[in-house]
Amino acid sequence: MSLMERFSDFTFMEALINIVDILLVWFVLYKLIAIIKGTKAVQLLKGLFVIIIAWFLTKELGLKTMYWIMEQILTWGFLAVIIIFQPELRRALEQIGRGKLFSRGALQEEEERNRLVESVTKSVGYMAKRRIGALISIERETGLSEYIETGIPMHSDLTSELLINIFIPNTPLHDGAVIVQQQRIAAAACYLPLSESPFISKELGTRHRAALGLSEVTDAITVVVSEETGAVSITANGDLHRNLSTEEFEALLRKMWFGPVPEPQAASKWKRGVKKNG
């Protein structure tokens, strides 16, 4: 059959079906990426990409032993993925069952982001005014599961009231860090790695060292409220932003957590004296 004959057999309806097929595949992939974004699965995809490249190179270069090893990894890797990432897969299936996989629009996501930032800002403002020490870590690309396992599981919605109650002194969960994962409170009373950097000011206490320590080994955002002064700080990527006002804190938290926005709106305000000793 000639090329022209094949082209003539390719009807408009078939072309439309193919286009719809491609768009549906793209949409499903986009939603799946949105689900795994911010989980350990992102790191898995990077590692899988490296293994595929290594498999291709060993095949082309004729490295038989390495090629056999890469084949075994790819063959049994899918089973390992199902076992290791069982929580993420279960969460995705639950979202499908609740009909939430494709229902969230841009407006809903923006409202949820505003709610999360306002909840953290409100709770931090309350604790800063009363000098209640707090340590809140927010997971981004790098998974924090190993630190979540050191605390008390909660799997709760993130609200200002719950955050405040967790850090009330002399309660079972107040000592340690709260870790936010997938926009929910995953655990409380978690242990974070302390920074051993000799350049940290001696004025900073254990909370600040733990926040900096986590920022040195992950890309997490950590909010610190000083018990001594009520000063508010944020750490990320090894940097410490100290003595933040309400507006500065909310704008910086929103930018770090969800990216820059045109004009961040301050949802809550608190006034306090700021001292330079963290």
Side-chain angles (χ1 to χ4, degrees):
M1 182 180 292
S2 65
L3 181 63
M4 290 299 295
E5 291 175 341
R6 291 181 181 179
F7 182 77
S8 62
D9 292 338
F10 193 70
T11 64
F12 173 77
M13 185 58 67
E14 290 176 340
L16 183 61
I17 291 174
N18 288 333
I19 293 173
V20 172
D21 188 21
I22 294 172
L23 291 176
L24 284 174
V25 171
W26 174 85
F27 187 67
V28 170
L29 288 176
Y30 171 78
K31 287 298 182 178
L32 290 176
I33 291 173
I35 290 175
I36 67 174
K37 184 179 180 181
T39 68
K40 294 183 295 182
V42 175
Q43 306 300 323
L44 170 75
L45 291 178
K46 293 178 181 178
L48 183 61
F49 183 68
V50 172
I51 292 175
I52 291 174
I53 293 177
W55 172 80
F56 177 78
L57 290 176
T58 53
K59 182 179 179 181
E60 292 297 318
L61 297 175
L63 304 177
K64 295 182 179 180
T65 304
M66 282 299 298
Y67 176 70
W68 181 84
I69 293 174
M70 292 297 106
E71 274 200 323
Q72 299 306 309
I73 293 175
L74 291 174
T75 300
W76 296 101
F78 293 103
L79 179 60
V81 167
I82 294 174
I83 296 173
I84 296 173
F85 293 97
Q86 181 265 341
E88 285 79 5
L89 293 172
R90 183 181 63 186
R91 189 182 304 116
L93 292 174
E94 288 175 352
Q95 290 183 357
I96 293 173
R98 292 194 299 263
K100 295 184 177 181
L101 182 61
F102 304 115
S103 62
R104 295 182 65 88
L107 181 59
Q108 290 176 307
E109 291 185 359
E110 183 63 26
E111 291 176 351
E112 178 66 8
R113 291 177 179 181
N114 290 335
R115 186 193 70 80
L116 293 169
V117 173
E118 289 169 5
S119 295
V120 176
T121 302
K122 181 180 178 181
S123 63
V124 167
Y126 180 94
M127 293 184 286
K129 184 177 180 180
R130 293 161 179 77
R131 297 188 179 184
I132 299 173
L135 191 61
I136 306 168
S137 295
I138 301 171
E139 182 186 85
R140 289 197 286 184
E141 298 294 332
T142 306
L144 300 179
S145 297
E146 62 178 296
Y147 305 109
I148 291 173
E149 292 171 357
T150 65
I152 307 300
M154 297 193 66
H155 307 295
S156 307
D157 291 336
L158 194 160
T159 64
S160 59
E161 293 79 8
L162 181 55
L163 283 175
I164 292 169
N165 281 333
I166 289 173
F167 289 108
I168 294 298
N170 302 320
T171 56
L173 299 178
H174 89 282
D175 190 17
V178 162
I179 295 182
V180 178
Q181 183 184 58
Q182 292 291 313
Q183 301 180 357
R184 290 168 60 86
I185 298 177
C190 301
Y191 293 99
L192 303 183
L194 297 180
S195 174
E196 298 181 357
S197 172
F199 303 105
I200 297 177
S201 172
K202 294 182 179 179
E203 299 174 346
L204 301 179
T206 304
R207 286 191 180 90
H208 289 85
R209 288 185 174 272
L212 279 170
L214 186 66
S215 73
E216 291 169 356
V217 296
T218 72
D219 62 350
I221 306 165
T222 302
V223 179
V224 185
V225 179
S226 173
E227 189 174 2
E228 289 74 24
T229 65
V232 178
S233 306
I234 295 182
T235 65
N237 300 320
D239 296 325
L240 172 63
H241 305 269
R242 299 177 61 187
N243 302 324
L244 299 172
S245 66
T246 308
E247 293 77 12
E248 291 172 338
F249 170 78
E250 184 171 4
L252 187 57
L253 176 64
R254 189 185 299 272
K255 180 180 179 181
M256 288 181 171
W257 199 349
F258 301 115
V261 292
E263 194 70 32
Q265 298 178 352
S268 59
K269 296 183 179 180
W270 78 80
K271 295 181 180 180
R272 57 175 175 78
V274 177
K275 297 182 181 181
K276 297 297 182 180
N277 58 348

